Amino acid sequence: HQVLRIKTKNEGQVKQLQLLESLEHLELDFWIDPSAPALPVDVRIPAAGVQSVKAFLESRGIEYSVVIEDLQDVLDKEKQDMAESAQRERSTSFDFGSYHTLDEIYAELDRLASEHGFVEKIQLGQSYEQRPLYALKFGTGGSDRPAIWLDAGVHSREWVTQASALWIANQIASCYGTDSSVTSLLDKMDLFLLPVANPDGFVYTHTSNRMWRKTRSKIPGSACYGVDPNRNWDAGFGGPGASDKPCSDSYHGPRANSEVEVKSVADFITNHGNFKAFLTLHSYSQLLMYPYGYKCTRPDDYAELESLGRAAANAIRSVYGTTFRVGPICTTI
Amino acid sequence: PAGRAVAVAVALLRYRRGGPARALRLRELRRARPEDIKDVGCKYYLELELEDVLDKDSTVNCTAEVLYHLGNKNIAPDVQFTLEGELKSTEEADHVFYTRMRSLEKELVAENIPDSHGHVPPELEPLHLLAWVASGYLVWQNSTENTQLQLAQIKHVKQVKRSDKYLQFDFVVLLHEKVSQEIIPWEMTVLWHPRDGVQVTRDSRQPGHA
């Protein structure tokens, strides 16, 4: 399709154009209608009619110039420009597909909270090195609703878990209202999401040692630092799978809940009083596990947990074929 | 426990059949049967399907026996295996890597492969694969029924030019022990030639934490 700009010299020529306009079969699209001789007339002509319209104008001595040689080209380029600019806009916003620093993650939590009314940033406490422990609360109303807990980054070197938690947060925030399962879930329950459970360790993996796992607390009587937060809980404390040696990567600590990061979470959950489910993300491996880890007896809800685990693993597999092994921690890990 | 025996068998297999252009890994565990042998130790009979990491459609079947000796925990487990099926030839890729390394004016030096973000520069992929293959030897030699070692990262690698036909690389790798969760630095000297396969000629566990 071409766009022509026509310069009429007199009333007679204007009348010729008005005649042209009335010929519906030509499907001419006048962007500026012919009205007075001094004013230019812009018209879009479908490809099939271009030659005959030009011939018509030339035979009557009506001046014209080609303003747009190929309208499709222009439209294509504009579409491309828009896509590129949207891409640029997206890349100046958070890239969920790459790893970030603590500050970047905390900034993104602020953005999620400010952009969604049902998302609130809360502080559970402070780490050993006095960094805030920030979590997101997803709550659409009610009071004392039953709640679900999800944490990541308990072990600081497991970077894919903090990244996953952030993606999950964004996914849930964006899908509320459009995805039926997210909506029905949040309409009945609250979700608490702690993306960086061990911020001191996380910063340490960025600044000093990519393989750091524990907290960064000073251990009295030892040259080594840090306690494995996932051996510090007050359940089967000091049992198999935990070490009593301060320099070990699975050191359980001097006593249960000795680590402020762990105590803050335990206190929060106890004080809330209405948590129904607790999920924690770790890497690597593809294992979907339920209690117990510190003993090998079956939990009371074994059958339900096993069937829930299988359903979840099937759902995961259906997306890209990724297989997770399901079972109790004791026999699976 | 059976899982650990499988890991040891696969590690040794990877070492024996791998190179800068081929590494085998477990695709599926078909069968694992433990057997307590009185006064000797615990044996596992395994049926595995392995795949080539660089060509996932290329698979082989394997039967293996892993024997953990009673008593002396410092002896590596005995591993016997038979492979069924042909693996694709990697002659061309091997030749490319070999000539490229031989013709370097300055000996190659690199560190942190993969980097903190999990990236491996494409030109270092063959070296990364070679390290993973060679680490199979370390895993086999140092595994017990209660440990499971895995290569986490190449901390440092230095090429050492030789007057004979072999390529030599001195590595410091980080091994992750999955049960204790420790990260263990380990030095290893690796020799390779396209027709000779991979050899770890010297290795030593380093003190301290990564």
PDB file of all heavy atoms in Angstrom, chain A residues 99 157 159 209-211 213 231 247-250 284-285 333, chain B residues 4 116-117 150 152-153 174 176 178 180-183 209-210:
ATOM      1  N   TYR A  99      21.298 -14.657  38.553  1.00  0.00           N
ATOM      2  CA  TYR A  99      21.538 -14.555  39.987  1.00  0.00           C
ATOM      3  C   TYR A  99      21.746 -13.107  40.407  1.00  0.00           C
ATOM      4  O   TYR A  99      22.308 -12.310  39.658  1.00  0.00           O
ATOM      5  CB  TYR A  99      22.770 -15.374  40.372  1.00  0.00           C
ATOM      6  CG  TYR A  99      22.577 -16.861  40.187  1.00  0.00           C
ATOM      7  CD1 TYR A  99      23.457 -17.596  39.395  1.00  0.00           C
ATOM      8  CD2 TYR A  99      21.525 -17.533  40.801  1.00  0.00           C
ATOM      9  CE1 TYR A  99      23.288 -18.970  39.230  1.00  0.00           C
ATOM     10  CE2 TYR A  99      21.355 -18.898  40.640  1.00  0.00           C
ATOM     11  CZ  TYR A  99      22.238 -19.612  39.858  1.00  0.00           C
ATOM     12  OH  TYR A  99      22.078 -20.953  39.692  1.00  0.00           O
ATOM     13  N   ARG A 157      24.961 -21.166  49.809  1.00  0.00           N
ATOM     14  CA  ARG A 157      25.561 -21.437  48.495  1.00  0.00           C
ATOM     15  C   ARG A 157      24.552 -21.998  47.495  1.00  0.00           C
ATOM     16  O   ARG A 157      24.845 -22.070  46.301  1.00  0.00           O
ATOM     17  CB  ARG A 157      26.742 -22.404  48.615  1.00  0.00           C
ATOM     18  CG  ARG A 157      26.366 -23.818  49.077  1.00  0.00           C
ATOM     19  CD  ARG A 157      27.622 -24.675  49.291  1.00  0.00           C
ATOM     20  NE  ARG A 157      27.315 -26.023  49.770  1.00  0.00           N
ATOM     21  CZ  ARG A 157      28.104 -26.712  50.601  1.00  0.00           C
ATOM     22  NH1 ARG A 157      29.230 -26.184  51.048  1.00  0.00           N
ATOM     23  NH2 ARG A 157      27.774 -27.937  50.986  1.00  0.00           N
ATOM     24  N   TRP A 159      22.313 -21.128  45.510  1.00  0.00           N
ATOM     25  CA  TRP A 159      21.821 -19.906  44.870  1.00  0.00           C
ATOM     26  C   TRP A 159      20.542 -20.079  44.069  1.00  0.00           C
ATOM     27  O   TRP A 159      19.762 -19.138  43.933  1.00  0.00           O
ATOM     28  CB  TRP A 159      22.913 -19.321  43.948  1.00  0.00           C
ATOM     29  CG  TRP A 159      23.953 -18.515  44.647  1.00  0.00           C
ATOM     30  CD1 TRP A 159      24.211 -18.464  45.994  1.00  0.00           C
ATOM     31  CD2 TRP A 159      24.914 -17.653  44.036  1.00  0.00           C
ATOM     32  NE1 TRP A 159      25.255 -17.611  46.245  1.00  0.00           N
ATOM     33  CE2 TRP A 159      25.710 -17.098  45.069  1.00  0.00           C
ATOM     34  CE3 TRP A 159      25.165 -17.286  42.714  1.00  0.00           C
ATOM     35  CZ2 TRP A 159      26.745 -16.200  44.812  1.00  0.00           C
ATOM     36  CZ3 TRP A 159      26.199 -16.388  42.462  1.00  0.00           C
ATOM     37  CH2 TRP A 159      26.974 -15.851  43.505  1.00  0.00           C
ATOM     38  N   ASN A 209      33.455 -16.482  49.555  1.00  0.00           N
ATOM     39  CA  ASN A 209      33.546 -17.911  49.310  1.00  0.00           C
ATOM     40  C   ASN A 209      32.233 -18.422  48.755  1.00  0.00           C
ATOM     41  O   ASN A 209      31.247 -18.560  49.486  1.00  0.00           O
ATOM     42  CB  ASN A 209      33.903 -18.638  50.622  1.00  0.00           C
ATOM     43  CG  ASN A 209      34.064 -20.139  50.438  1.00  0.00           C
ATOM     44  OD1 ASN A 209      33.764 -20.690  49.375  1.00  0.00           O
ATOM     45  ND2 ASN A 209      34.544 -20.816  51.466  1.00  0.00           N
ATOM     46  N   ARG A 210      32.250 -18.705  47.492  1.00  0.00           N
ATOM     47  CA  ARG A 210      31.030 -19.126  46.783  1.00  0.00           C
ATOM     48  C   ARG A 210      30.425 -20.371  47.384  1.00  0.00           C
ATOM     49  O   ARG A 210      29.244 -20.628  47.252  1.00  0.00           O
ATOM     50  CB  ARG A 210      31.382 -19.372  45.307  1.00  0.00           C
ATOM     51  CG  ARG A 210      30.254 -19.926  44.435  1.00  0.00           C
ATOM     52  CD  ARG A 210      29.099 -18.954  44.315  1.00  0.00           C
ATOM     53  NE  ARG A 210      28.059 -19.453  43.423  1.00  0.00           N
ATOM     54  CZ  ARG A 210      27.110 -20.324  43.772  1.00  0.00           C
ATOM     55  NH1 ARG A 210      27.100 -20.828  45.008  1.00  0.00           N
ATOM     56  NH2 ARG A 210      26.208 -20.709  42.893  1.00  0.00           N
ATOM     57  N   MET A 211      31.271 -21.175  48.073  1.00  0.00           N
ATOM     58  CA  MET A 211      30.802 -22.456  48.613  1.00  0.00           C
ATOM     59  C   MET A 211      30.357 -22.389  50.062  1.00  0.00           C
ATOM     60  O   MET A 211      30.142 -23.422  50.693  1.00  0.00           O
ATOM     61  CB  MET A 211      31.912 -23.515  48.490  1.00  0.00           C
ATOM     62  CG  MET A 211      32.356 -23.768  47.071  1.00  0.00           C
ATOM     63  SD  MET A 211      31.054 -24.537  46.103  1.00  0.00           S
ATOM     64  CE  MET A 211      31.863 -24.750  44.531  1.00  0.00           C
ATOM     65  N   ARG A 213      28.139 -22.311  53.321  1.00  0.00           N
ATOM     66  CA  ARG A 213      26.824 -22.924  53.518  1.00  0.00           C
ATOM     67  C   ARG A 213      26.122 -22.452  54.780  1.00  0.00           C
ATOM     68  O   ARG A 213      24.895 -22.293  54.803  1.00  0.00           O
ATOM     69  CB  ARG A 213      27.038 -24.438  53.555  1.00  0.00           C
ATOM     70  CG  ARG A 213      25.905 -25.301  54.028  1.00  0.00           C
ATOM     71  CD  ARG A 213      26.374 -26.752  54.048  1.00  0.00           C
ATOM     72  NE  ARG A 213      25.560 -27.584  54.899  1.00  0.00           N
ATOM     73  CZ  ARG A 213      24.483 -28.260  54.486  1.00  0.00           C
ATOM     74  NH1 ARG A 213      24.089 -28.171  53.235  1.00  0.00           N
ATOM     75  NH2 ARG A 213      23.802 -29.011  55.322  1.00  0.00           N
ATOM     76  N   ARG A 231      20.503 -27.729  60.775  1.00  0.00           N
ATOM     77  CA  ARG A 231      20.736 -28.727  61.822  1.00  0.00           C
ATOM     78  C   ARG A 231      20.497 -28.074  63.172  1.00  0.00           C
ATOM     79  O   ARG A 231      20.756 -28.685  64.213  1.00  0.00           O
ATOM     80  CB  ARG A 231      22.180 -29.260  61.779  1.00  0.00           C
ATOM     81  CG  ARG A 231      22.604 -29.848  60.444  1.00  0.00           C
ATOM     82  CD  ARG A 231      21.997 -31.217  60.193  1.00  0.00           C
ATOM     83  NE  ARG A 231      22.519 -31.834  58.974  1.00  0.00           N
ATOM     84  CZ  ARG A 231      22.106 -31.556  57.736  1.00  0.00           C
ATOM     85  NH1 ARG A 231      21.157 -30.636  57.535  1.00  0.00           N
ATOM     86  NH2 ARG A 231      22.637 -32.175  56.692  1.00  0.00           N
ATOM     87  N   CYS A 247      33.927 -26.796  62.922  1.00  0.00           N
ATOM     88  CA  CYS A 247      34.457 -26.538  61.573  1.00  0.00           C
ATOM     89  C   CYS A 247      33.709 -27.314  60.495  1.00  0.00           C
ATOM     90  O   CYS A 247      33.946 -27.117  59.304  1.00  0.00           O
ATOM     91  CB  CYS A 247      35.951 -26.860  61.504  1.00  0.00           C
ATOM     92  SG  CYS A 247      36.925 -25.802  62.596  1.00  0.00           S
ATOM     93  N   SER A 248      32.791 -28.161  60.910  1.00  0.00           N
ATOM     94  CA  SER A 248      32.067 -28.977  59.934  1.00  0.00           C
ATOM     95  C   SER A 248      30.963 -28.185  59.256  1.00  0.00           C
ATOM     96  O   SER A 248      30.345 -27.306  59.860  1.00  0.00           O
ATOM     97  CB  SER A 248      31.472 -30.197  60.632  1.00  0.00           C
ATOM     98  OG  SER A 248      30.463 -30.769  59.831  1.00  0.00           O
ATOM     99  N   ASP A 249      30.706 -28.529  58.010  1.00  0.00           N
ATOM    100  CA  ASP A 249      29.657 -27.852  57.246  1.00  0.00           C
ATOM    101  C   ASP A 249      28.264 -28.253  57.702  1.00  0.00           C
ATOM    102  O   ASP A 249      27.282 -27.651  57.293  1.00  0.00           O
ATOM    103  CB  ASP A 249      29.807 -28.145  55.750  1.00  0.00           C
ATOM    104  CG  ASP A 249      30.202 -26.906  54.957  1.00  0.00           C
ATOM    105  OD1 ASP A 249      30.088 -25.797  55.519  1.00  0.00           O
ATOM    106  OD2 ASP A 249      30.598 -27.040  53.789  1.00  0.00           O
ATOM    107  N   SER A 250      28.170 -29.291  58.556  1.00  0.00           N
ATOM    108  CA  SER A 250      26.856 -29.644  59.091  1.00  0.00           C
ATOM    109  C   SER A 250      26.864 -29.535  60.612  1.00  0.00           C
ATOM    110  O   SER A 250      26.162 -30.268  61.300  1.00  0.00           O
ATOM    111  CB  SER A 250      26.429 -31.033  58.605  1.00  0.00           C
ATOM    112  OG  SER A 250      27.454 -31.981  58.817  1.00  0.00           O
ATOM    113  N   TYR A 284      21.690 -29.110  45.514  1.00  0.00           N
ATOM    114  CA  TYR A 284      21.111 -29.529  44.273  1.00  0.00           C
ATOM    115  C   TYR A 284      20.446 -30.901  44.432  1.00  0.00           C
ATOM    116  O   TYR A 284      20.390 -31.395  45.547  1.00  0.00           O
ATOM    117  CB  TYR A 284      22.213 -29.575  43.211  1.00  0.00           C
ATOM    118  CG  TYR A 284      23.400 -30.382  43.607  1.00  0.00           C
ATOM    119  CD1 TYR A 284      23.518 -31.721  43.239  1.00  0.00           C
ATOM    120  CD2 TYR A 284      24.431 -29.823  44.381  1.00  0.00           C
ATOM    121  CE1 TYR A 284      24.615 -32.467  43.620  1.00  0.00           C
ATOM    122  CE2 TYR A 284      25.529 -30.561  44.764  1.00  0.00           C
ATOM    123  CZ  TYR A 284      25.619 -31.892  44.377  1.00  0.00           C
ATOM    124  OH  TYR A 284      26.710 -32.639  44.759  1.00  0.00           O
ATOM    125  N   SER A 285      20.021 -31.481  43.403  1.00  0.00           N
ATOM    126  CA  SER A 285      19.329 -32.779  43.329  1.00  0.00           C
ATOM    127  C   SER A 285      17.870 -32.486  43.031  1.00  0.00           C
ATOM    128  O   SER A 285      17.407 -31.358  43.156  1.00  0.00           O
ATOM    129  CB  SER A 285      19.388 -33.595  44.609  1.00  0.00           C
ATOM    130  OG  SER A 285      20.705 -33.966  44.886  1.00  0.00           O
ATOM    131  N   ILE A 333      17.207 -39.208  50.912  1.00  0.00           N
ATOM    132  CA  ILE A 333      18.370 -38.337  50.687  1.00  0.00           C
ATOM    133  C   ILE A 333      19.687 -39.100  50.578  1.00  0.00           C
ATOM    134  O   ILE A 333      19.825 -40.174  51.084  1.00  0.00           O
ATOM    135  CB  ILE A 333      18.450 -37.269  51.804  1.00  0.00           C
ATOM    136  CG1 ILE A 333      19.255 -36.100  51.287  1.00  0.00           C
ATOM    137  CG2 ILE A 333      19.068 -37.826  53.064  1.00  0.00           C
ATOM    138  CD1 ILE A 333      18.800 -34.775  51.697  1.00  0.00           C
TER     139      ILE A 333
ATOM    140  N   ARG B   4      24.489 -44.944  46.525  1.00  0.00           N
ATOM    141  CA  ARG B   4      25.923 -44.622  46.595  1.00  0.00           C
ATOM    142  C   ARG B   4      26.737 -45.602  45.792  1.00  0.00           C
ATOM    143  O   ARG B   4      27.716 -45.224  45.147  1.00  0.00           O
ATOM    144  CB  ARG B   4      26.371 -44.613  48.055  1.00  0.00           C
ATOM    145  CG  ARG B   4      25.732 -43.439  48.762  1.00  0.00           C
ATOM    146  CD  ARG B   4      26.028 -43.326  50.222  1.00  0.00           C
ATOM    147  NE  ARG B   4      25.056 -42.411  50.809  1.00  0.00           N
ATOM    148  CZ  ARG B   4      24.599 -42.485  52.027  1.00  0.00           C
ATOM    149  NH1 ARG B   4      25.040 -43.431  52.824  1.00  0.00           N
ATOM    150  NH2 ARG B   4      23.711 -41.615  52.466  1.00  0.00           N
ATOM    151  N   SER B 116      30.885 -18.527  39.388  1.00  0.00           N
ATOM    152  CA  SER B 116      29.862 -18.459  40.430  1.00  0.00           C
ATOM    153  C   SER B 116      28.445 -18.540  39.894  1.00  0.00           C
ATOM    154  O   SER B 116      27.528 -18.913  40.611  1.00  0.00           O
ATOM    155  CB  SER B 116      29.997 -17.140  41.212  1.00  0.00           C
ATOM    156  OG  SER B 116      31.097 -17.221  42.080  1.00  0.00           O
ATOM    157  N   HIS B 117      28.276 -18.148  38.646  1.00  0.00           N
ATOM    158  CA  HIS B 117      26.933 -18.157  38.065  1.00  0.00           C
ATOM    159  C   HIS B 117      26.650 -19.427  37.273  1.00  0.00           C
ATOM    160  O   HIS B 117      25.638 -19.522  36.597  1.00  0.00           O
ATOM    161  CB  HIS B 117      26.742 -16.921  37.184  1.00  0.00           C
ATOM    162  CG  HIS B 117      26.680 -15.656  37.983  1.00  0.00           C
ATOM    163  ND1 HIS B 117      25.627 -14.776  37.913  1.00  0.00           N
ATOM    164  CD2 HIS B 117      27.515 -15.141  38.896  1.00  0.00           C
ATOM    165  CE1 HIS B 117      25.835 -13.770  38.752  1.00  0.00           C
ATOM    166  NE2 HIS B 117      26.978 -13.962  39.353  1.00  0.00           N
ATOM    167  N   GLN B 150      31.174 -35.844  44.726  1.00  0.00           N
ATOM    168  CA  GLN B 150      30.743 -35.312  43.443  1.00  0.00           C
ATOM    169  C   GLN B 150      31.623 -34.106  43.110  1.00  0.00           C
ATOM    170  O   GLN B 150      31.947 -33.325  43.997  1.00  0.00           O
ATOM    171  CB  GLN B 150      29.300 -34.852  43.608  1.00  0.00           C
ATOM    172  CG  GLN B 150      28.611 -34.526  42.365  1.00  0.00           C
ATOM    173  CD  GLN B 150      27.315 -35.312  42.212  1.00  0.00           C
ATOM    174  OE1 GLN B 150      27.059 -36.295  42.915  1.00  0.00           O
ATOM    175  NE2 GLN B 150      26.503 -34.872  41.308  1.00  0.00           N
ATOM    176  N   ALA B 152      32.361 -30.509  42.259  1.00  0.00           N
ATOM    177  CA  ALA B 152      31.599 -29.262  42.344  1.00  0.00           C
ATOM    178  C   ALA B 152      32.152 -28.206  41.386  1.00  0.00           C
ATOM    179  O   ALA B 152      31.394 -27.507  40.722  1.00  0.00           O
ATOM    180  CB  ALA B 152      31.615 -28.721  43.776  1.00  0.00           C
ATOM    181  N   GLN B 153      33.478 -28.089  41.343  1.00  0.00           N
ATOM    182  CA  GLN B 153      34.051 -26.998  40.548  1.00  0.00           C
ATOM    183  C   GLN B 153      35.540 -27.248  40.331  1.00  0.00           C
ATOM    184  O   GLN B 153      36.189 -27.893  41.148  1.00  0.00           O
ATOM    185  CB  GLN B 153      33.886 -25.683  41.326  1.00  0.00           C
ATOM    186  CG  GLN B 153      34.175 -24.412  40.535  1.00  0.00           C
ATOM    187  CD  GLN B 153      34.198 -23.185  41.435  1.00  0.00           C
ATOM    188  OE1 GLN B 153      34.644 -23.243  42.563  1.00  0.00           O
ATOM    189  NE2 GLN B 153      33.723 -22.071  40.906  1.00  0.00           N
ATOM    190  N   LEU B 174      37.285 -28.959  43.480  1.00  0.00           N
ATOM    191  CA  LEU B 174      36.527 -29.004  44.724  1.00  0.00           C
ATOM    192  C   LEU B 174      35.534 -30.151  44.613  1.00  0.00           C
ATOM    193  O   LEU B 174      34.754 -30.222  43.671  1.00  0.00           O
ATOM    194  CB  LEU B 174      35.759 -27.691  44.932  1.00  0.00           C
ATOM    195  CG  LEU B 174      36.599 -26.432  45.085  1.00  0.00           C
ATOM    196  CD1 LEU B 174      35.692 -25.228  45.291  1.00  0.00           C
ATOM    197  CD2 LEU B 174      37.585 -26.553  46.230  1.00  0.00           C
ATOM    198  N   HIS B 176      32.430 -32.197  46.396  1.00  0.00           N
ATOM    199  CA  HIS B 176      31.358 -32.031  47.370  1.00  0.00           C
ATOM    200  C   HIS B 176      31.012 -33.391  47.939  1.00  0.00           C
ATOM    201  O   HIS B 176      30.723 -34.332  47.178  1.00  0.00           O
ATOM    202  CB  HIS B 176      30.139 -31.417  46.686  1.00  0.00           C
ATOM    203  CG  HIS B 176      28.945 -31.278  47.574  1.00  0.00           C
ATOM    204  ND1 HIS B 176      27.672 -31.577  47.151  1.00  0.00           N
ATOM    205  CD2 HIS B 176      28.823 -30.890  48.870  1.00  0.00           C
ATOM    206  CE1 HIS B 176      26.815 -31.351  48.148  1.00  0.00           C
ATOM    207  NE2 HIS B 176      27.486 -30.937  49.190  1.00  0.00           N
ATOM    208  N   LYS B 178      28.373 -35.376  49.764  1.00  0.00           N
ATOM    209  CA  LYS B 178      26.947 -35.104  49.960  1.00  0.00           C
ATOM    210  C   LYS B 178      26.436 -35.454  51.351  1.00  0.00           C
ATOM    211  O   LYS B 178      25.431 -34.914  51.789  1.00  0.00           O
ATOM    212  CB  LYS B 178      26.113 -35.843  48.910  1.00  0.00           C
ATOM    213  CG  LYS B 178      26.218 -35.239  47.533  1.00  0.00           C
ATOM    214  CD  LYS B 178      25.378 -35.981  46.520  1.00  0.00           C
ATOM    215  CE  LYS B 178      24.021 -35.299  46.333  1.00  0.00           C
ATOM    216  NZ  LYS B 178      23.355 -35.769  45.098  1.00  0.00           N
ATOM    217  N   SER B 180      28.252 -35.400  54.473  1.00  0.00           N
ATOM    218  CA  SER B 180      28.704 -34.428  55.470  1.00  0.00           C
ATOM    219  C   SER B 180      28.543 -33.000  54.962  1.00  0.00           C
ATOM    220  O   SER B 180      28.681 -32.049  55.722  1.00  0.00           O
ATOM    221  CB  SER B 180      30.179 -34.666  55.808  1.00  0.00           C
ATOM    222  OG  SER B 180      30.952 -34.391  54.654  1.00  0.00           O
ATOM    223  N   GLN B 181      28.294 -32.862  53.660  1.00  0.00           N
ATOM    224  CA  GLN B 181      28.136 -31.569  52.996  1.00  0.00           C
ATOM    225  C   GLN B 181      29.454 -30.806  52.854  1.00  0.00           C
ATOM    226  O   GLN B 181      29.455 -29.652  52.455  1.00  0.00           O
ATOM    227  CB  GLN B 181      27.097 -30.690  53.719  1.00  0.00           C
ATOM    228  CG  GLN B 181      25.677 -31.168  53.523  1.00  0.00           C
ATOM    229  CD  GLN B 181      25.231 -30.982  52.091  1.00  0.00           C
ATOM    230  OE1 GLN B 181      25.689 -30.083  51.394  1.00  0.00           O
ATOM    231  NE2 GLN B 181      24.347 -31.847  51.621  1.00  0.00           N
ATOM    232  N   GLU B 182      30.565 -31.446  53.170  1.00  0.00           N
ATOM    233  CA  GLU B 182      31.858 -30.745  53.074  1.00  0.00           C
ATOM    234  C   GLU B 182      32.273 -30.512  51.631  1.00  0.00           C
ATOM    235  O   GLU B 182      31.955 -31.316  50.748  1.00  0.00           O
ATOM    236  CB  GLU B 182      32.960 -31.569  53.748  1.00  0.00           C
ATOM    237  CG  GLU B 182      32.747 -31.822  55.227  1.00  0.00           C
ATOM    238  CD  GLU B 182      32.633 -30.566  56.060  1.00  0.00           C
ATOM    239  OE1 GLU B 182      33.220 -29.529  55.696  1.00  0.00           O
ATOM    240  OE2 GLU B 182      31.940 -30.604  57.091  1.00  0.00           O
ATOM    241  N   ILE B 183      33.007 -29.411  51.442  1.00  0.00           N
ATOM    242  CA  ILE B 183      33.628 -29.121  50.145  1.00  0.00           C
ATOM    243  C   ILE B 183      35.118 -29.368  50.336  1.00  0.00           C
ATOM    244  O   ILE B 183      35.762 -28.723  51.162  1.00  0.00           O
ATOM    245  CB  ILE B 183      33.386 -27.661  49.728  1.00  0.00           C
ATOM    246  CG1 ILE B 183      31.894 -27.371  49.642  1.00  0.00           C
ATOM    247  CG2 ILE B 183      34.087 -27.361  48.416  1.00  0.00           C
ATOM    248  CD1 ILE B 183      31.199 -27.873  48.398  1.00  0.00           C
ATOM    249  N   HIS B 209      39.097 -26.262  54.305  1.00  0.00           N
ATOM    250  CA  HIS B 209      37.820 -26.060  53.661  1.00  0.00           C
ATOM    251  C   HIS B 209      38.091 -25.285  52.391  1.00  0.00           C
ATOM    252  O   HIS B 209      39.069 -24.568  52.324  1.00  0.00           O
ATOM    253  CB  HIS B 209      36.992 -25.183  54.605  1.00  0.00           C
ATOM    254  CG  HIS B 209      35.535 -25.310  54.410  1.00  0.00           C
ATOM    255  ND1 HIS B 209      34.899 -25.128  53.227  1.00  0.00           N
ATOM    256  CD2 HIS B 209      34.576 -25.586  55.302  1.00  0.00           C
ATOM    257  CE1 HIS B 209      33.606 -25.284  53.401  1.00  0.00           C
ATOM    258  NE2 HIS B 209      33.374 -25.547  54.649  1.00  0.00           N
ATOM    259  N   ALA B 210      37.231 -25.397  51.431  1.00  0.00           N
ATOM    260  CA  ALA B 210      37.376 -24.588  50.218  1.00  0.00           C
ATOM    261  C   ALA B 210      37.415 -23.105  50.555  1.00  0.00           C
ATOM    262  O   ALA B 210      36.569 -22.653  51.300  1.00  0.00           O
ATOM    263  CB  ALA B 210      36.210 -24.837  49.286  1.00  0.00           C
TER     264      ALA B 210
END
